[in-house]
Amino acid sequence: MLKGCRLGFIGGGNMAEAIIKGLLAGGVTAAELVVAEPMAERREFLQSAYGIDVRADNGEVAAMTDALIIAVKPQVFRGMASALGAAGFAGKLVISIMAGISIGGMEEACGGSSRVIRVMPNTPALALAGASAICRGKNATDDDLFFAQGIFDLVGTTCVVDEKLMDAVTGLSGSGPAYVFMFIEALSDAGLKNGLPRDVATRLAAQTVLGSAKLLLETGDHPGVLKEKVTSPGGTTIAGVASLERDAFRGTVMAAVDAATARSAELGKK
């Protein structure tokens, strides 16, 4: 997929590891990847687990690669970019997976002519089942966008959006795994309350969520249509649905996404 292009990572944390895992599973060779990671223990782990070149120096990695994925914490990015200098980013595609830093901020820090792609992945990418939203800067080309999509399709699914929607993406799919885990935990607790062993309740709850999501994606049906197929007149499911509606389940979920979206926008202004 890289077509002779060497891909570098600045930062070797969990999300970078997920992308590396997906790339290798998708046929990219270890020789096409190199990582800059400051922690010696983490460098040793990535080298031994994936057979890739991992170095301590950001500048070395930038100098030997054609495209960079920036996978550091947002609060350390500007210092890192300043130390690397505009020359370190010159001529490269720069892909950011950092929350809260706009394309404009990336372009300013990396040099005004930088080709920037911004991506908001989520943690299920660690299981190669992530949901990523992608937007591009003014200098990025169609080929750059296609290249970035190819990377993140290997760890899940991608959607191209306007940057103005990235806060909503953060509130929905970025923060969404936490909401889903809470839902699974609640289902498991309810199973326990009604006599199921904990391991059985959790396994049934998790598989129910997984299977329901897979069914929706494969059929393309509206969630309401699939809900109707489970719900029969006077049955058990409609009794449970009625209880959820009484307790404002849907409104509560929507309010959570609203709150996370607003917080993302707030953090982006700092």
Side-chain angles (χ1 to χ4, degrees), residues 174-229:
S175 301
Y179 318 149
V180 175
F181 293 138
M182 290 177 70
F183 178 56
I184 292 172
E185 183 181 33
L187 286 176
S188 177
D189 284 348
L192 190 70
K193 180 183 176 186
N194 285 278
L196 291 173
R198 171 64 79 183
D199 61 335
V200 172
T202 300
R203 185 172 181 180
L204 289 174
Q207 184 63 37
T208 297
V209 171
L210 174 64
S212 299
K214 185 175 182 181
L215 181 63
L216 187 149
L217 291 172
E218 288 187 357
T219 63
D221 288 342
H222 188 280
V225 171
L226 294 174
K227 182 195 74 175
E228 288 301 308
K229 291 181 179 180

Side-chain angles (χ1 to χ4, degrees), residues 124-150:
L126 295 168
L128 305 185
S132 301
I134 297 180
C135 57
R136 64 176 176 179
K138 62 180 184 293
N139 300 315
T141 67
D142 289 344
D143 285 343
D144 291 335
L145 186 65
F146 182 76
F147 179 84
Q149 282 184 276

